[in-house]
Coordinates of all heavy atoms in Angstrom, one line a residue:
Chain C
T722 N -0.9 -27.2 9.0 CA -2.2 -27.3 8.4 C -3.1 -28.0 9.4 O -2.7 -29.0 9.9 CB -2.2 -28.1 7.1 OG1 -1.3 -27.5 6.2 CG2 -3.5 -28.3 6.5
I723 N -4.2 -27.4 9.7 CA -5.1 -28.0 10.7 C -6.5 -28.0 10.2 O -6.9 -27.3 9.4 CB -5.0 -27.3 12.1 CG1 -5.6 -25.9 12.0 CG2 -3.6 -27.3 12.6 CD1 -5.8 -25.3 13.4
E724 N -7.3 -29.0 10.8 CA -8.7 -29.0 10.6 C -9.4 -28.4 11.8 O -9.1 -28.6 12.9 CB -9.2 -30.4 10.4 CG -8.9 -31.0 9.0 CD -8.6 -32.5 9.1 OE1 -8.8 -33.1 10.1 OE2 -8.1 -33.0 8.1
V725 N -10.4 -27.6 11.4 CA -11.2 -26.8 12.5 C -12.5 -27.5 12.7 O -13.2 -27.7 11.7 CB -11.3 -25.4 12.1 CG1 -12.1 -24.6 13.2 CG2 -10.0 -24.7 11.9
Q726 N -12.8 -27.8 13.9 CA -14.1 -28.5 14.2 C -15.1 -27.5 14.7 O -14.8 -26.4 15.2 CB -13.9 -29.6 15.3 CG -13.2 -30.8 14.8 CD -11.7 -30.7 14.8 OE1 -11.2 -30.1 15.7 NE2 -11.1 -31.3 13.8
A727 N -16.4 -27.9 14.6 CA -17.5 -27.1 15.1 C -17.5 -27.3 16.6 O -17.4 -28.5 17.1 CB -18.8 -27.5 14.4
V728 N -17.8 -26.3 17.3 CA -17.9 -26.4 18.8 C -19.4 -26.3 19.2 O -19.8 -26.5 20.3 CB -17.1 -25.4 19.6 CG1 -15.6 -25.7 19.4 CG2 -17.4 -24.0 19.2
V729 N -20.2 -26.0 18.2 CA -21.7 -26.0 18.5 C -22.4 -26.8 17.4 O -21.8 -27.1 16.3 CB -22.3 -24.6 18.5 CG1 -21.7 -23.8 19.6 CG2 -21.9 -23.9 17.2
A730 N -23.6 -27.1 17.6 CA -24.4 -27.7 16.5 C -25.4 -26.7 15.9 O -25.7 -25.7 16.5 CB -25.2 -28.9 17.2
G731 N -25.8 -27.0 14.7 CA -26.7 -26.1 14.1 C -26.6 -26.2 12.6 O -25.8 -26.9 12.1
R732 N -27.3 -25.3 11.9 CA -27.3 -25.3 10.4 C -26.2 -24.3 10.0 O -26.3 -23.2 10.5 CB -28.6 -25.0 9.8 CG -28.7 -25.4 8.3 CD -30.1 -25.1 7.8 NE -31.2 -25.9 8.4 CZ -31.4 -27.1 8.0 NH1 -30.8 -27.7 7.0 NH2 -32.4 -27.9 8.6
L733 N -25.4 -24.7 9.1 CA -24.4 -23.7 8.6 C -25.1 -22.7 7.7 O -25.6 -23.1 6.6 CB -23.3 -24.5 7.8 CG -22.2 -23.6 7.2 CD1 -21.4 -23.0 8.3 CD2 -21.2 -24.5 6.4
S734 N -25.2 -21.5 8.2 CA -26.0 -20.5 7.5 C -25.2 -19.5 6.6 O -25.7 -18.9 5.6 CB -26.8 -19.7 8.5 OG -25.9 -19.1 9.4
E735 N -23.9 -19.4 6.9 CA -23.1 -18.4 6.1 C -21.7 -18.8 6.1 O -21.1 -19.2 7.1 CB -23.3 -17.0 6.8 CG -22.9 -15.8 6.0 CD -23.0 -14.5 6.8 OE1 -23.8 -14.5 7.7 OE2 -22.2 -13.6 6.5
I736 N -21.1 -18.7 4.9 CA -19.6 -18.8 4.8 C -19.0 -17.5 4.4 O -19.4 -17.0 3.3 CB -19.2 -19.9 3.8 CG1 -19.6 -21.3 4.4 CG2 -17.7 -19.9 3.6 CD1 -19.4 -22.5 3.4
R737 N -18.2 -16.9 5.2 CA -17.7 -15.6 4.8 C -16.3 -15.7 4.2 O -15.9 -14.7 3.5 CB -17.6 -14.7 6.0 CG -19.0 -14.3 6.5 CD -19.0 -13.2 7.5 NE -20.3 -13.0 8.1 CZ -20.5 -12.3 9.2 NH1 -19.5 -11.8 9.8 NH2 -21.7 -12.2 9.7
V738 N -15.6 -16.7 4.4 CA -14.3 -16.8 3.9 C -14.2 -18.2 3.1 O -14.3 -19.2 3.7 CB -13.2 -16.8 5.0 CG1 -11.8 -16.9 4.4 CG2 -13.3 -15.5 5.8
G739 N -14.1 -18.1 1.8 CA -14.2 -19.3 1.0 C -12.8 -19.9 0.8 O -11.8 -19.4 1.3
V740 N -12.8 -20.9 0.0 CA -11.5 -21.6 -0.3 C -10.5 -20.7 -1.0 O -10.9 -20.0 -1.9 CB -11.8 -22.9 -1.2 CG1 -10.5 -23.5 -1.6 CG2 -12.7 -23.9 -0.5
G741 N -9.3 -20.7 -0.5 CA -8.3 -19.9 -1.1 C -8.2 -18.5 -0.5 O -7.2 -17.8 -0.8
A742 N -9.2 -18.1 0.3 CA -9.2 -16.8 0.9 C -8.5 -16.9 2.3 O -8.4 -17.9 2.9 CB -10.6 -16.2 1.0
T743 N -8.0 -15.7 2.7 CA -7.3 -15.6 4.0 C -8.1 -14.8 5.0 O -8.7 -13.9 4.6 CB -5.9 -14.9 3.7 OG1 -5.3 -15.6 2.6 CG2 -5.0 -15.0 4.9
A744 N -8.0 -15.2 6.2 CA -8.7 -14.5 7.3 C -7.7 -14.3 8.4 O -6.9 -15.2 8.7 CB -9.9 -15.2 7.7
K745 N -7.9 -13.2 9.1 CA -7.0 -13.0 10.3 C -7.5 -13.9 11.5 O -8.7 -14.2 11.6 CB -7.1 -11.5 10.7 CG -6.5 -10.6 9.7 CD -6.1 -9.3 10.2 CE -5.8 -8.3 9.2 NZ -5.1 -8.8 8.0
V746 N -6.6 -14.2 12.4 CA -7.0 -14.9 13.6 C -8.0 -14.1 14.3 O -7.9 -12.9 14.5 CB -5.7 -15.1 14.4 CG1 -6.2 -15.7 15.8 CG2 -4.8 -16.1 13.8
G747 N -9.1 -14.8 14.6 CA -10.2 -14.1 15.3 C -11.3 -13.6 14.4 O -12.4 -13.2 14.8
E748 N -11.0 -13.6 13.1 CA -12.0 -13.1 12.2 C -13.1 -14.1 12.0 O -12.9 -15.3 12.0 CB -11.3 -12.8 10.8 CG -12.1 -11.9 9.9 CD -11.3 -11.6 8.6 OE1 -10.1 -11.5 8.7 OE2 -11.9 -11.6 7.6
V749 N -14.3 -13.6 11.8 CA -15.5 -14.5 11.6 C -15.3 -15.2 10.2 O -15.2 -14.5 9.2 CB -16.8 -13.8 11.7 CG1 -18.0 -14.7 11.3 CG2 -17.0 -13.2 13.1
V750 N -15.3 -16.5 10.2 CA -15.2 -17.3 9.0 C -16.5 -17.8 8.5 O -16.7 -17.9 7.3 CB -14.2 -18.4 9.3 CG1 -14.2 -19.5 8.2 CG2 -12.8 -17.9 9.4
A751 N -17.4 -18.1 9.5 CA -18.7 -18.7 9.1 C -19.6 -18.5 10.2 O -19.3 -18.1 11.3 CB -18.5 -20.2 8.8
V752 N -20.9 -18.7 9.9 CA -22.0 -18.5 10.9 C -22.8 -19.8 11.0 O -23.2 -20.3 9.9 CB -22.8 -17.3 10.6 CG1 -23.9 -17.1 11.7 CG2 -22.0 -16.0 10.5
I753 N -23.1 -20.2 12.2 CA -24.0 -21.4 12.3 C -25.3 -20.9 13.0 O -25.2 -20.2 14.0 CB -23.3 -22.5 13.2 CG1 -22.2 -23.2 12.4 CG2 -24.3 -23.5 13.7 CD1 -21.5 -24.3 13.1
G754 N -26.4 -21.3 12.4 CA -27.6 -21.0 13.0 C -28.2 -19.6 12.7 O -29.1 -19.1 13.3
G755 N -27.5 -18.9 11.8 CA -28.0 -17.5 11.5 C -29.1 -17.5 10.4 O -29.6 -18.5 10.0
D756 N -29.3 -16.3 9.9 CA -30.3 -16.1 8.9 C -29.9 -16.9 7.6 O -28.8 -16.9 7.2 CB -30.3 -14.6 8.5 CG -31.5 -14.2 7.6 OD1 -31.9 -15.0 6.8 OD2 -32.0 -13.1 7.8
M757 N -30.9 -17.6 7.1 CA -30.6 -18.5 6.0 C -30.6 -17.8 4.6 O -30.5 -18.5 3.6 CB -31.5 -19.7 6.0 CG -31.0 -20.9 6.8 SD -29.3 -21.4 6.5 CE -29.4 -21.8 4.8
T758 N -30.9 -16.5 4.6 CA -30.9 -15.9 3.2 C -29.6 -16.1 2.6 O -28.5 -15.8 3.1 CB -31.3 -14.4 3.3 OG1 -30.4 -13.8 4.2 CG2 -32.7 -14.2 3.7
A759 N -29.6 -16.7 1.4 CA -28.3 -17.1 0.8 C -27.4 -15.9 0.6 O -27.7 -15.0 -0.1 CB -28.7 -17.8 -0.6
K760 N -26.2 -16.1 1.1 CA -25.2 -15.0 0.9 C -24.0 -15.7 0.2 O -23.5 -16.7 0.7 CB -24.8 -14.4 2.2 CG -25.8 -13.6 2.9 CD -25.3 -13.0 4.2 CE -26.4 -12.5 5.0 NZ -26.6 -13.1 6.3
A761 N -23.6 -15.2 -0.8 CA -22.3 -15.7 -1.5 C -21.2 -15.4 -0.6 O -21.2 -14.4 0.2 CB -22.1 -15.1 -2.8
P762 N -20.2 -16.3 -0.6 CA -19.0 -16.0 0.3 C -18.4 -14.6 -0.1 O -18.4 -14.2 -1.3 CB -18.0 -17.1 -0.1 CG -18.8 -18.2 -0.8 CD -20.0 -17.5 -1.3
V763 N -18.1 -13.9 0.9 CA -17.6 -12.5 0.7 C -16.2 -12.6 -0.1 O -16.0 -11.8 -1.0 CB -17.3 -11.8 2.0 CG1 -16.6 -10.5 1.8 CG2 -18.7 -11.5 2.7
R764 N -15.4 -13.6 0.2 CA -14.2 -13.7 -0.5 C -13.9 -15.1 -0.9 O -14.0 -16.0 -0.1 CB -13.0 -13.2 0.4 CG -12.9 -11.7 0.5 CD -11.9 -11.3 1.6 NE -12.4 -11.6 2.9 CZ -11.6 -12.0 3.9 NH1 -10.4 -12.4 3.7 NH2 -12.1 -12.2 5.1
T765 N -13.7 -15.4 -2.2 CA -13.5 -16.7 -2.6 C -12.1 -16.9 -3.1 O -11.6 -18.0 -3.3 CB -14.4 -17.2 -3.6 OG1 -14.4 -16.3 -4.7 CG2 -15.8 -17.4 -3.1
E766 N -11.4 -15.8 -3.4 CA -10.1 -15.9 -3.9 C -9.2 -15.0 -3.0 O -9.6 -14.0 -2.5 CB -10.0 -15.4 -5.3 CG -10.4 -16.4 -6.3 CD -10.8 -15.8 -7.6 OE1 -10.2 -14.8 -8.0 OE2 -11.7 -16.3 -8.2
A767 N -8.0 -15.3 -2.9 CA -7.0 -14.5 -2.1 C -7.0 -13.1 -2.6 O -6.8 -12.2 -1.9 CB -5.6 -15.1 -2.2
R768 N -7.2 -12.9 -3.9 CA -7.2 -11.5 -4.5 C -8.5 -11.0 -4.9 O -8.6 -10.3 -5.9 CB -6.2 -11.4 -5.7 CG -4.8 -11.8 -5.4 CD -3.9 -11.2 -6.5 NE -2.8 -12.0 -6.7 CZ -2.7 -12.9 -7.7 NH1 -3.6 -13.0 -8.5 NH2 -1.6 -13.6 -7.8
A769 N -9.6 -11.3 -4.2 CA -10.9 -10.8 -4.5 C -11.0 -9.3 -4.5 O -10.3 -8.7 -3.7 CB -12.0 -11.4 -3.6
A770 N -11.8 -8.7 -5.4 CA -11.9 -7.3 -5.5 C -12.3 -6.7 -4.1 O -13.2 -7.2 -3.5 CB -12.8 -6.9 -6.6
R771 N -11.6 -5.6 -3.7 CA -12.0 -4.9 -2.5 C -12.4 -3.5 -2.9 O -11.5 -2.7 -3.2 CB -10.8 -4.9 -1.5 CG -10.6 -6.3 -0.9 CD -9.4 -6.2 0.0 NE -8.2 -6.4 -0.8 CZ -7.2 -7.1 -0.5 NH1 -7.2 -7.8 0.6 NH2 -6.1 -7.2 -1.3
A772 N -13.6 -3.2 -2.8 CA -14.0 -1.8 -3.1 C -13.8 -0.9 -1.8 O -13.0 -1.3 -1.0 CB -15.5 -1.8 -3.5
S773 N -14.6 0.2 -1.7 CA -14.3 1.1 -0.6 C -14.7 0.5 0.7 O -15.6 1.1 1.4 CB -14.9 2.4 -0.9 OG -14.5 2.9 -2.1
Q774 N -14.2 -0.6 1.2 CA -14.5 -1.1 2.5 C -13.5 -0.5 3.5 O -12.4 -0.3 3.1 CB -14.5 -2.6 2.6 CG -15.4 -3.3 1.6 CD -15.0 -4.7 1.3 OE1 -13.9 -4.9 0.8 NE2 -15.7 -5.6 1.8
W775 N -13.8 -0.5 4.8 CA -12.8 -0.1 5.7 C -11.8 -1.3 5.8 O -12.1 -2.4 6.2 CB -13.4 0.2 7.1 CG -12.3 0.2 8.1 CD1 -12.2 -0.7 9.2 CD2 -11.3 1.2 8.3 NE1 -11.1 -0.3 9.9 CE2 -10.5 0.8 9.4 CE3 -10.9 2.3 7.6 CZ2 -9.4 1.5 9.9 CZ3 -9.8 3.1 8.0 CH2 -9.1 2.7 9.1
R776 N -10.6 -1.1 5.4 CA -9.5 -2.0 5.7 C -8.3 -1.2 5.9 O -8.2 0.0 5.6 CB -9.3 -3.0 4.5 CG -8.9 -2.4 3.2 CD -8.8 -3.4 2.2 NE -8.7 -2.9 0.9 CZ -7.6 -2.5 0.3 NH1 -6.5 -2.7 0.8 NH2 -7.6 -2.0 -0.9
S777 N -7.3 -1.8 6.4 CA -6.1 -1.0 6.8 C -5.5 -0.3 5.7 O -5.2 -1.0 4.7 CB -5.1 -2.0 7.5 OG -3.9 -1.3 7.7
P778 N -5.3 1.0 5.8 CA -4.5 1.7 4.7 C -3.1 1.3 4.7 O -2.3 1.7 3.8 CB -4.7 3.2 5.1 CG -5.0 3.1 6.6 CD -5.7 1.9 6.9
F779 N -2.6 0.5 5.7 CA -1.2 0.1 5.7 C -1.1 -1.2 5.0 O 0.0 -1.8 5.0 CB -0.7 0.1 7.1 CG -1.1 1.3 7.9 CD1 -1.9 1.3 9.0 CD2 -0.6 2.6 7.4 CE1 -2.3 2.4 9.6 CE2 -1.0 3.7 8.1 CZ -1.8 3.7 9.2

Side-chain angles (χ1 to χ4, degrees):
Chain C
T722 298
I723 64 167
E724 280 147 13
V725 179
Q726 285 85 38
V728 294
V729 292
R732 196 179 294 279
L733 183 61
S734 56
E735 196 184 331
I736 292 177
R737 290 197 190 160
V738 182
V740 174
T743 307
K745 296 199 190 327
V746 172
E748 199 178 319
V749 175
V750 164
V752 179
I753 286 183
D756 189 327
M757 272 308 301
T758 53
K760 291 184 194 113
V763 169
R764 283 173 285 140
T765 52
E766 277 159 35
R768 294 200 214 103
R771 285 175 280 222
S773 307
Q774 301 157 295
W775 165 250
R776 63 181 165 90
S777 169
F779 313 115

